[in-house]
Amino acid sequence: MLVISPKGLTGKIELGENERVALVGRSGSGKTLSIKTALCLNSGLSMIDDKSFCETQDFSIVNAVFQEPNTQILSTSLEEELKLISRYHPVDLELAKQLMGKYFTRDFFKLSDGYKRRYVISSVLSFEPKYVLLDEPFANVDREGTSLIAGIIPRGSLIAEHRIPVIREIVDRAYVIEDGRIEEIKKDKLFDEDFLRKNGLRGFKVDKIDTDKGKELLNVNVRGINLRVREGEIVCLVGRNGSGKTTLIKSLAGKIYAIFQNPDLQFFYETVEREVGDDETMRKLGLYKLRERSPYALSYGEKMRVLIASALASKYKVVALDEPTAGLDGVNLISFVELLGSVLNSKRGVIIATHDEEIINICDKIINLS
Amino acid sequence: MRVNFVTGIFFVSALTAAGILTTAVIPFLATIPLIRRKIIIIVEIAIISISLLILYYTSRFYFYPYSFRGLLYVNLYFIASEYIDKASIVDVLGEAGVPIAVALSYYPYLTSIVRDVVFYSRARKKNVFRVTLPIIVQLVKSVQDIWITYNLKLFGNFRKDKIKITSSEIVLLLYGFATLCLSFLLKV
Amino acid sequence: MKKWVRTLLFSAIFSVAAFAVDAGFTVGLSSYAISPILDPFLEFTIPLMIIVIGFNVINSRPAALEIALISALVYAASSLLFLVPGIIISGVIIEGFCFLIGYRGLKASLAQGGTFAVINGILSFVFGALFLGAHSIIRVTPTLILILTPAFLVEGIVIGSISWKIFNYMMKSGIIKS
């Protein structure tokens, strides 16, 4: 049994070898902190069968996969990575081959998002740790990618995740972190929309934004698609990962204000104030108190708010958002929808590229690229 | 076909030497069968043809080895990335080779960061010097994450594998040696 | 994990990143053909900043030497051999004075930027002219070197101070964790 008690949180997380356990909670509640505590990368207690894990820090027993696959590789293909790892400790090549199939030798940077996650998980599973800790393994992965990942999560896994509808199907038990407290909850709670809303979790569909549609702001033919956006309208581009949603938005650069997936690559100034450049917009979007902070040091939800504020402060009439809800918890999702309301009320139009089924309700028009 | 690092370096060195010491036509032609992506070959043939035509009409035809030499280096880069088993670098350099091999595998990721940031800055009409901050912040964050990955995956004591010579290695070495000899024998 | 592994891994990634940015700019400007002339100038912008910030982040011996050797290796592998002597010599000198004044701080950053820019700038300019066969067009005379040296020094010091400012910002905002 692995027992984790992170410093700064009350309660503990217990993980048995033969179960899959969910860890849910709002952004910044301490999910990643708990995983880092288990690995002794943070203060707190990490015990295995009543012995401190930090004394040995034997990663063949406890290991983890974090959210960003791009910085969790050691070589350019899983085959080469495992050869490298085998210079340090034994790996099960056959298991990894089975998990990755024909992509075992494929260049990591040519894999789909789902297979990139599968690569990093397979790499860790190939040395068969007793306990695997997964930090948001399903973030920003489409339905196909989700099943690719869900199919290989072994017993002895703790899964920290926002996407409740995906994990409630595969876990045996769950913990929720709320106000600095870790509490075990019944699995049924993950199906209870009221509970999810109350605890700021995802798993419910958001309501439509009621706005008046005005004049046409954009009418372009791009990649064989006629894209038209009116004032107060949300046009959604849907389709699996790799179907061309991002490429389509990129091709509109110059005509629209586009916000892409990694916020950190889109901040060009040291403070929120300089990034947004307009006091009134900052006040309207509740960013004024953060104006002297570094945009890089904010939470994901706050970063999205800064980017949307920059869009509002710009002269552009159409704002495009590429997978904007990927890292948002329930509270941030509701506040994101409210933000969209502000954008629409300022006589702008919005394009959203997404495969998030929970926000489909807000789309006035849907273009399927699959 | 995968070859170990030593064989790969011998092959690349033999062809580079042939490229520097001769007109580079033979070593360039020798690399063509080893390039897997046909589009690269088509583009290179087009480049060579245009270069030769320009040199001919500008009465500078004696510059032609430079065109072949440039493309030879490009092809050797593709061949090295395609055929050299990167894990074997550590069998030559020992444990000190591991961080270098790991860092080299991040080259595509690092270039993609630069590409994306430059694109976003242009899309938002930012001054080109503004790209510095996001590139460096992302780099520093990535380095720290890679270090965690390194610790989590490469635990235990390092053991070198013996370098094995397979039939593929012998074929490639002979091919490199034959190219070197032919480059001197055939005065192209 | 051993401390030398961390130093080497970080050095290797900063070297590869500086090269990736340099290559990205060269390709972006479609200037590979004139890279022997252009590279000393391109290299002194973001790539040099990455290297100076690398020294500050790593903050342990022998970061300067390792970054120089690995950078030399990647430039040599890309047929940009004229940059290799300058990179290695500047690496050795920077390692020497960092032994005395440390790797981190404003003073260290200014010295690192200035040294790298002057030595690498002059040497790569000389070797670049030889490499291109352009010494008949650009005559590398002592007068030219005398003019270029203060220009490279100023550029290196400016880049060093910007690097320190960015490093300091990352420390204060919690992006750098140690």
Side-chain angles (χ1 to χ4, degrees):
Chain A
M1 172 82 71
L2 170 68
V3 181
I4 314 161
S5 313
K7 195 180 173 186
L9 298 178
T10 55
K12 60 185 178 183
I13 300 161
E14 293 181 334
L15 175 65
E17 279 174 54
N18 289 312
E19 58 179 353
R20 295 184 190 92
V21 174
L23 179 61
V24 298
R26 289 197 54 195
S27 298
S29 60
K31 299 191 293 297
T32 304
L33 179 95
S34 302
I35 289 179
K36 288 192 169 170
T37 303
L39 299 165
C40 305
L41 302 173
N42 249 7
S43 309
L45 278 178
S46 174
M47 308 288 286
I48 294 180
D49 303 331
D50 298 325
K51 284 181 197 147
S52 168
F53 173 69
C54 300
E55 279 170 21
T56 54
Q57 229 181 345
D58 182 352
F59 294 126
S60 67
I61 298 173
V62 183
N63 215 295
V65 177
F66 291 95
Q67 198 180 337
E68 173 55 82
N70 286 318
T71 51
Q72 291 182 82
I73 57 165
L74 298 174
S75 194
T76 42
S77 73
L78 186 56
E79 183 190 30
E80 286 194 350
E81 174 159 325
L82 294 183
K83 276 189 199 168
L84 185 65
I85 296 174
S86 69
R87 264 64 167 185
Y88 285 84
H89 53 82
V91 289
D92 188 341
L93 277 175
E94 287 311 312
L95 175 68
K97 266 184 204 167
Q98 208 183 315
L99 297 176
M100 281 299 278
K102 62 180 179 179
Y103 299 111
F104 182 61
T105 54
R106 180 76 63 90
D107 188 324
F108 173 83
F109 294 102
K110 289 180 184 150
L111 295 174
S112 67
D113 286 357
Y115 266 106
K116 278 185 178 172
R117 303 274 169 113
R118 200 163 161 128
Y119 173 119
V120 291
I121 297 172
S122 302
S123 166
V124 166
L125 295 186
S126 73
F127 42 89
E128 299 172 288
K130 256 189 198 170
Y131 305 101
V132 185
L133 316 169
L134 300 148
D135 192 6
E136 303 219 24
F138 300 105
N140 196 21
V141 180
D142 61 15
R143 198 182 288 178
E144 194 192 331
T146 302
S147 59
L148 277 173
I149 298 160
I152 63 166
I153 293 181
R155 301 208 166 270
S157 295
L158 177 73
I159 311 157
E161 183 59 60
H162 278 307
R163 293 178 64 184
I164 309 288
V166 179
I167 52 162
R168 65 190 175 197
E169 303 296 337
I170 56 173
V171 296
D172 304 300
R173 292 190 301 124
Y175 287 94
V176 63
I177 308 180
E178 201 202 351
D179 298 329
R181 249 183 12 260
I182 302 170
E183 255 182 73
E184 186 173 352
I185 51 165
K186 285 191 176 150
K187 189 182 160 181
D188 301 353
K189 288 278 182 195
L190 298 179
F191 291 87
D192 179 348
E193 277 211 10
D194 288 337
F195 173 82
L196 297 176
R197 271 183 198 265
K198 203 182 110 211
N199 284 278
L201 304 174
R202 296 282 299 265
F204 54 87
K205 289 209 162 102
V206 292
D207 302 327
K208 202 169 181 64
I209 307 168
D210 200 17
T211 51
D212 296 329
K213 310 289 177 272
K215 64 175 185 195
E216 193 171 86
L217 299 170
L218 184 77
N219 184 350
V220 285
N221 283 308
V222 52
R223 301 184 163 257
I225 292 160
N226 179 239
L227 189 60
R228 289 193 294 176
V229 185
R230 287 175 295 161
E231 283 176 359
E233 185 179 44
I234 298 181
V235 177
C236 292
L237 305 173
V238 299
R240 42 182 290 199
N241 290 133
S243 59
K245 303 190 291 290
T246 305
T247 315
L248 198 148
I249 291 182
K250 277 188 170 174
S251 66
L252 293 171
K255 295 187 183 81
I256 60 168
Y257 193 99
I259 296 170
F260 296 92
Q261 284 181 39
N262 185 344
D264 284 350
L265 300 184
Q266 299 166 74
F267 294 134
F268 297 92
Y269 299 92
E270 289 84 353
T271 60
V272 170
E273 188 171 27
R274 292 197 66 201
E275 196 62 51
V276 179
D278 181 46
D279 277 9
E280 200 190 318
T281 313
M282 276 196 298
R283 280 206 178 86
K284 206 161 118 192
L285 270 62
L287 287 169
Y288 198 72
K289 60 182 185 300
L290 300 174
R291 67 188 184 282
E292 281 172 15
R293 294 268 306 273
S294 158
Y296 299 103
L298 302 176
S299 71
Y300 184 82
E302 288 166 340
K303 285 176 183 176
M304 282 308 296
R305 194 169 276 265
V306 173
L307 289 173
I308 292 173
S310 308
L312 276 178
S314 77
K315 62 177 174 30
Y316 290 94
K317 286 289 174 194
V318 178
V319 179
L321 299 132
D322 190 11
E323 304 289 358
T325 55
L328 299 180
D329 61 25
V331 171
N332 280 322
L333 180 67
I334 292 170
S335 114
F336 167 74
V337 175
E338 284 166 7
L339 266 181
L340 282 186
S342 310
V343 177
L344 298 175
N345 288 330
S346 63
K347 291 191 183 290
R348 285 178 165 90
V350 171
I351 301 170
I352 298 179
T354 187
H355 46 68
D356 187 342
E357 284 157 23
E358 289 167 23
I359 62 161
I360 279 305
N361 269 353
I362 65 169
C363 308
D364 295 304
K365 209 178 342 173
I366 296 173
I367 298 173
N368 194 336
L369 299 185
S370 289
Chain B
M1 184 174 85
R2 287 275 175 183
V3 297
N4 72 54
F5 181 63
V6 179
T7 306
I9 290 294
F10 270 117
F11 176 77
V12 170
S13 306
L15 267 74
T16 306
I20 292 169
L21 300 171
T22 70
T23 56
V25 177
I26 301 285
F28 168 73
L29 293 174
T31 57
I32 298 285
L34 297 172
I35 301 288
R36 290 208 185 150
R37 279 186 288 171
K38 299 290 164 249
I39 185 75
I40 295 175
I41 300 171
I42 294 166
V43 171
E44 288 186 349
I45 290 171
I47 292 172
I48 286 280
S49 313
I50 295 166
S51 302
L52 293 182
L53 272 175
I54 293 171
L55 291 174
Y56 180 76
Y57 284 109
T58 53
S59 308
R60 298 273 191 283
F61 200 72
Y62 51 89
F63 274 140
Y64 78 92
Y66 292 98
S67 308
F68 284 98
R69 208 168 281 150
L71 292 176
L72 167 68
Y73 294 146
V74 172
N75 287 358
L76 287 176
Y77 172 77
F78 284 127
I79 290 167
S81 346
E82 182 79 30
Y83 293 96
I84 293 179
D85 173 6
K86 288 185 202 77
S88 71
I89 296 176
V90 301
D91 298 325
V92 180
L93 299 176
E95 197 175 1
V98 181
I100 298 172
V102 170
L104 288 173
S105 59
Y106 277 95
Y107 182 75
Y109 172 63
L110 297 168
T111 48
S112 76
I113 290 174
V114 178
R115 211 175 36 237
D116 286 349
V117 172
V118 169
F119 179 82
Y120 301 151
S121 75
R122 279 187 185 162
R124 308 227 170 117
K125 299 189 169 60
K126 302 281 179 198
N127 181 324
V128 68
F129 293 106
R130 287 271 153 218
V131 300
T132 312
L133 190 63
I135 290 175
I136 288 175
V137 168
Q138 188 65 25
L139 168 65
V140 168
K141 281 186 170 183
S142 301
V143 169
Q144 296 176 118
D145 290 346
I146 296 165
W147 176 235
I148 293 177
T149 302
Y150 198 99
N151 277 274
L152 289 180
K153 290 187 181 179
L154 298 180
F155 53 84
N157 292 319
F158 177 76
R159 295 179 314 274
K160 244 189 205 185
D161 258 16
K162 278 187 185 155
I163 292 172
K164 295 176 205 112
I165 301 288
T166 62
S167 53
S168 314
E169 328 264 342
I170 295 168
V171 170
L172 197 71
L173 285 173
L174 287 174
Y175 190 67
F177 185 67
T179 307
L180 186 62
C181 295
L182 273 178
S183 308
F184 285 107
L185 289 172
L186 303 173
K187 307 266 182 213
V188 184
Chain C
M1 190 64 78
K2 298 155 197 156
K3 196 183 171 195
W4 70 264
V5 178
R6 179 189 177 274
T7 308
L8 188 53
L9 177 73
F10 277 45
S11 301
I13 293 173
F14 278 106
S15 307
V16 174
F19 177 76
V21 173
D22 196 2
F25 277 159
T26 310
V27 172
L29 298 170
S30 309
S31 59
Y32 191 83
I34 54 160
S35 59
I37 300 297
L38 204 58
D39 240 277
F41 297 100
L42 285 178
E43 214 192 339
F44 296 159
T45 53
I46 305 180
L48 178 54
M49 245 180 252
I50 290 174
I51 286 173
V52 174
I53 289 171
F55 295 150
N56 278 278
V57 171
I58 301 166
N59 194 28
S60 68
R61 264 183 285 166
L65 208 55
E66 285 176 358
I67 287 186
L69 289 174
I70 298 165
S71 299
L73 191 81
V74 288
Y75 277 100
S78 319
S79 310
L80 295 168
L81 285 163
F82 63 96
L83 289 168
V84 172
I87 293 173
I88 294 177
I89 294 169
S90 51
V92 172
I93 295 172
I94 293 171
E95 186 62 50
F97 67 69
C98 284
F99 186 78
L100 301 170
I101 63 168
Y103 292 89
R104 199 176 271 188
L106 176 63
K107 203 165 63 176
S109 302
L110 296 180
Q112 289 155 357
T115 310
F116 190 93
V118 170
I119 294 173
N120 203 25
I122 298 296
L123 288 183
S124 56
F125 202 75
V126 172
F127 284 103
L130 290 172
F131 179 86
L132 254 193
H135 43 280
S136 51
I137 310 164
I138 307 162
R139 203 165 269 281
V140 185
T141 59
T143 319
L144 183 65
I145 290 175
L146 221 62
I147 295 167
L148 284 176
T149 304
F152 282 136
L153 183 66
V154 170
E155 194 180 355
I157 286 174
V158 169
I159 294 292
S161 73
I162 298 173
S163 308
W164 169 247
K165 196 179 149 223
I166 295 177
F167 174 78
N168 214 13
Y169 165 75
M170 290 192 291
M171 282 292 275
K172 280 183 185 158
S173 49
I175 295 162
I176 295 174
K177 301 206 172 64
S178 60

mmCIF file of all heavy atoms in Angstrom, chain B residues 133 136-138 140-141, chain C residues 53 57 163 165-177:
data_model
loop_
_atom_site.group_PDB
_atom_site.id
_atom_site.type_symbol
_atom_site.label_atom_id
_atom_site.label_comp_id
_atom_site.label_asym_id
_atom_site.label_seq_id
_atom_site.Cartn_x
_atom_site.Cartn_y
_atom_site.Cartn_z
ATOM 1 N N LEU B 133 11.739 36.469 -24.486
ATOM 2 C CA LEU B 133 11.213 36.082 -23.171
ATOM 3 C C LEU B 133 10.463 34.732 -23.215
ATOM 4 O O LEU B 133 10.815 33.815 -22.459
ATOM 5 C CB LEU B 133 10.338 37.208 -22.614
ATOM 6 C CG LEU B 133 9.914 37.041 -21.162
ATOM 7 C CD1 LEU B 133 11.108 37.047 -20.226
ATOM 8 C CD2 LEU B 133 8.947 38.144 -20.748
ATOM 9 N N ILE B 136 12.901 31.764 -23.847
ATOM 10 C CA ILE B 136 13.783 31.424 -22.721
ATOM 11 C C ILE B 136 12.991 30.843 -21.547
ATOM 12 O O ILE B 136 13.413 29.853 -20.940
ATOM 13 C CB ILE B 136 14.632 32.652 -22.314
ATOM 14 C CG1 ILE B 136 15.672 32.868 -23.417
ATOM 15 C CG2 ILE B 136 15.315 32.449 -20.973
ATOM 16 C CD1 ILE B 136 16.532 34.078 -23.290
ATOM 17 N N VAL B 137 11.829 31.415 -21.257
ATOM 18 C CA VAL B 137 11.026 30.877 -20.147
ATOM 19 C C VAL B 137 10.646 29.421 -20.437
ATOM 20 O O VAL B 137 10.792 28.538 -19.579
ATOM 21 C CB VAL B 137 9.757 31.742 -19.919
ATOM 22 C CG1 VAL B 137 8.788 31.045 -18.995
ATOM 23 C CG2 VAL B 137 10.139 33.095 -19.337
ATOM 24 N N GLN B 138 10.190 29.158 -21.664
ATOM 25 C CA GLN B 138 9.785 27.789 -22.001
ATOM 26 C C GLN B 138 10.979 26.840 -21.929
ATOM 27 O O GLN B 138 10.870 25.711 -21.461
ATOM 28 C CB GLN B 138 9.162 27.783 -23.405
ATOM 29 C CG GLN B 138 8.518 26.461 -23.810
ATOM 30 C CD GLN B 138 7.304 26.109 -22.960
ATOM 31 O OE1 GLN B 138 6.659 26.981 -22.396
ATOM 32 N NE2 GLN B 138 7.019 24.826 -22.837
ATOM 33 N N VAL B 140 13.696 27.147 -20.032
ATOM 34 C CA VAL B 140 14.083 26.903 -18.640
ATOM 35 C C VAL B 140 13.085 25.956 -17.958
ATOM 36 O O VAL B 140 13.464 25.032 -17.233
ATOM 37 C CB VAL B 140 14.233 28.243 -17.888
ATOM 38 C CG1 VAL B 140 14.355 28.028 -16.395
ATOM 39 C CG2 VAL B 140 15.452 28.987 -18.397
ATOM 40 N N LYS B 141 11.789 26.157 -18.230
ATOM 41 C CA LYS B 141 10.781 25.250 -17.658
ATOM 42 C C LYS B 141 11.010 23.825 -18.176
ATOM 43 O O LYS B 141 10.938 22.853 -17.422
ATOM 44 C CB LYS B 141 9.374 25.700 -18.059
ATOM 45 C CG LYS B 141 8.846 26.863 -17.249
ATOM 46 C CD LYS B 141 7.400 27.142 -17.605
ATOM 47 C CE LYS B 141 6.777 28.137 -16.624
ATOM 48 N NZ LYS B 141 5.378 28.374 -16.895
ATOM 49 N N ILE C 53 22.308 32.698 -19.796
ATOM 50 C CA ILE C 53 21.283 32.266 -18.822
ATOM 51 C C ILE C 53 21.569 30.824 -18.394
ATOM 52 O O ILE C 53 21.407 30.467 -17.230
ATOM 53 C CB ILE C 53 19.873 32.444 -19.414
ATOM 54 C CG1 ILE C 53 19.552 33.943 -19.485
ATOM 55 C CG2 ILE C 53 18.812 31.718 -18.569
ATOM 56 C CD1 ILE C 53 18.292 34.297 -20.225
ATOM 57 N N VAL C 57 21.750 29.483 -14.651
ATOM 58 C CA VAL C 57 20.845 28.434 -14.155
ATOM 59 C C VAL C 57 21.658 27.263 -13.599
ATOM 60 O O VAL C 57 21.392 26.759 -12.510
ATOM 61 C CB VAL C 57 19.890 27.938 -15.287
ATOM 62 C CG1 VAL C 57 19.109 26.705 -14.850
ATOM 63 C CG2 VAL C 57 18.931 29.045 -15.707
ATOM 64 N N SER C 163 20.476 39.270 -20.266
ATOM 65 C CA SER C 163 20.371 37.885 -19.783
ATOM 66 C C SER C 163 20.188 37.857 -18.270
ATOM 67 O O SER C 163 19.375 37.103 -17.740
ATOM 68 C CB SER C 163 21.633 37.087 -20.130
ATOM 69 O OG SER C 163 21.907 37.218 -21.485
ATOM 70 N N LYS C 165 18.976 40.207 -16.430
ATOM 71 C CA LYS C 165 17.659 40.755 -16.112
ATOM 72 C C LYS C 165 16.582 39.658 -16.260
ATOM 73 O O LYS C 165 15.731 39.486 -15.381
ATOM 74 C CB LYS C 165 17.373 41.929 -17.069
ATOM 75 C CG LYS C 165 16.245 42.815 -16.621
ATOM 76 C CD LYS C 165 16.036 43.968 -17.594
ATOM 77 C CE LYS C 165 14.577 44.343 -17.610
ATOM 78 N NZ LYS C 165 14.028 44.583 -18.903
ATOM 79 N N ILE C 166 16.682 38.897 -17.341
ATOM 80 C CA ILE C 166 15.687 37.830 -17.570
ATOM 81 C C ILE C 166 15.831 36.732 -16.514
ATOM 82 O O ILE C 166 14.850 36.236 -15.961
ATOM 83 C CB ILE C 166 15.814 37.246 -19.000
ATOM 84 C CG1 ILE C 166 15.462 38.315 -20.050
ATOM 85 C CG2 ILE C 166 14.926 36.017 -19.180
ATOM 86 C CD1 ILE C 166 15.631 37.882 -21.491
ATOM 87 N N PHE C 167 17.080 36.370 -16.210
ATOM 88 C CA PHE C 167 17.325 35.328 -15.206
ATOM 89 C C PHE C 167 16.750 35.753 -13.854
ATOM 90 O O PHE C 167 16.059 34.976 -13.178
ATOM 91 C CB PHE C 167 18.823 35.047 -15.089
ATOM 92 C CG PHE C 167 19.152 34.089 -13.973
ATOM 93 C CD1 PHE C 167 18.964 32.730 -14.130
ATOM 94 C CD2 PHE C 167 19.617 34.564 -12.752
ATOM 95 C CE1 PHE C 167 19.237 31.853 -13.083
ATOM 96 C CE2 PHE C 167 19.886 33.692 -11.709
ATOM 97 C CZ PHE C 167 19.695 32.329 -11.881
ATOM 98 N N ASN C 168 17.026 37.004 -13.488
ATOM 99 C CA ASN C 168 16.544 37.552 -12.229
ATOM 100 C C ASN C 168 15.011 37.531 -12.176
ATOM 101 O O ASN C 168 14.405 37.169 -11.161
ATOM 102 C CB ASN C 168 17.039 39.000 -12.141
ATOM 103 C CG ASN C 168 17.344 39.389 -10.740
ATOM 104 O OD1 ASN C 168 17.428 38.539 -9.858
ATOM 105 N ND2 ASN C 168 17.481 40.676 -10.505
ATOM 106 N N TYR C 169 14.405 37.917 -13.284
ATOM 107 C CA TYR C 169 12.939 37.911 -13.399
ATOM 108 C C TYR C 169 12.392 36.483 -13.195
ATOM 109 O O TYR C 169 11.424 36.278 -12.463
ATOM 110 C CB TYR C 169 12.559 38.455 -14.778
ATOM 111 C CG TYR C 169 11.137 38.193 -15.200
ATOM 112 C CD1 TYR C 169 10.080 38.913 -14.641
ATOM 113 C CD2 TYR C 169 10.850 37.216 -16.146
ATOM 114 C CE1 TYR C 169 8.778 38.675 -15.026
ATOM 115 C CE2 TYR C 169 9.551 36.966 -16.539
ATOM 116 C CZ TYR C 169 8.516 37.693 -15.976
ATOM 117 O OH TYR C 169 7.222 37.434 -16.359
ATOM 118 N N MET C 170 13.067 35.514 -13.805
ATOM 119 C CA MET C 170 12.594 34.123 -13.681
ATOM 120 C C MET C 170 12.756 33.605 -12.249
ATOM 121 O O MET C 170 11.948 32.812 -11.776
ATOM 122 C CB MET C 170 13.328 33.215 -14.671
ATOM 123 C CG MET C 170 12.938 33.471 -16.123
ATOM 124 S SD MET C 170 13.518 32.197 -17.266
ATOM 125 C CE MET C 170 15.271 32.461 -17.237
ATOM 126 N N MET C 171 13.802 34.055 -11.576
ATOM 127 C CA MET C 171 14.005 33.644 -10.180
ATOM 128 C C MET C 171 12.906 34.230 -9.305
ATOM 129 O O MET C 171 12.292 33.532 -8.507
ATOM 130 C CB MET C 171 15.368 34.157 -9.661
ATOM 131 C CG MET C 171 16.560 33.378 -10.113
ATOM 132 S SD MET C 171 16.630 31.726 -9.430
ATOM 133 C CE MET C 171 17.408 32.031 -7.873
ATOM 134 N N LYS C 172 12.655 35.539 -9.498
ATOM 135 C CA LYS C 172 11.682 36.235 -8.647
ATOM 136 C C LYS C 172 10.270 35.719 -8.875
ATOM 137 O O LYS C 172 9.471 35.648 -7.950
ATOM 138 C CB LYS C 172 11.739 37.744 -8.908
ATOM 139 C CG LYS C 172 12.891 38.401 -8.182
ATOM 140 C CD LYS C 172 12.886 39.899 -8.396
ATOM 141 C CE LYS C 172 14.105 40.538 -7.759
ATOM 142 N NZ LYS C 172 14.411 41.826 -8.357
ATOM 143 N N SER C 173 9.950 35.396 -10.131
ATOM 144 C CA SER C 173 8.571 34.949 -10.392
ATOM 145 C C SER C 173 8.394 33.442 -10.179
ATOM 146 O O SER C 173 7.321 32.910 -10.446
ATOM 147 C CB SER C 173 8.124 35.385 -11.791
ATOM 148 O OG SER C 173 9.083 35.057 -12.733
ATOM 149 N N GLY C 174 9.439 32.780 -9.720
ATOM 150 C CA GLY C 174 9.302 31.372 -9.341
ATOM 151 C C GLY C 174 9.392 30.396 -10.502
ATOM 152 O O GLY C 174 9.085 29.213 -10.354
ATOM 153 N N ILE C 175 9.801 30.875 -11.684
ATOM 154 C CA ILE C 175 9.935 29.962 -12.838
ATOM 155 C C ILE C 175 11.140 29.051 -12.630
ATOM 156 O O ILE C 175 11.091 27.859 -12.916
ATOM 157 C CB ILE C 175 10.064 30.779 -14.152
ATOM 158 C CG1 ILE C 175 8.767 31.547 -14.415
ATOM 159 C CG2 ILE C 175 10.404 29.870 -15.327
ATOM 160 C CD1 ILE C 175 8.893 32.694 -15.397
ATOM 161 N N ILE C 176 12.222 29.624 -12.090
ATOM 162 C CA ILE C 176 13.390 28.797 -11.752
ATOM 163 C C ILE C 176 13.218 28.357 -10.307
ATOM 164 O O ILE C 176 13.031 29.184 -9.416
ATOM 165 C CB ILE C 176 14.703 29.590 -11.942
ATOM 166 C CG1 ILE C 176 14.863 29.913 -13.432
ATOM 167 C CG2 ILE C 176 15.903 28.793 -11.443
ATOM 168 C CD1 ILE C 176 16.027 30.815 -13.744
ATOM 169 N N LYS C 177 13.296 27.053 -10.115
ATOM 170 C CA LYS C 177 12.935 26.536 -8.793
ATOM 171 C C LYS C 177 14.100 26.457 -7.812
ATOM 172 O O LYS C 177 13.901 26.183 -6.657
ATOM 173 C CB LYS C 177 12.270 25.176 -8.960
ATOM 174 C CG LYS C 177 11.025 25.333 -9.829
ATOM 175 C CD LYS C 177 9.981 24.293 -9.599
ATOM 176 C CE LYS C 177 8.700 24.609 -10.334
ATOM 177 N NZ LYS C 177 8.790 24.622 -11.791
#
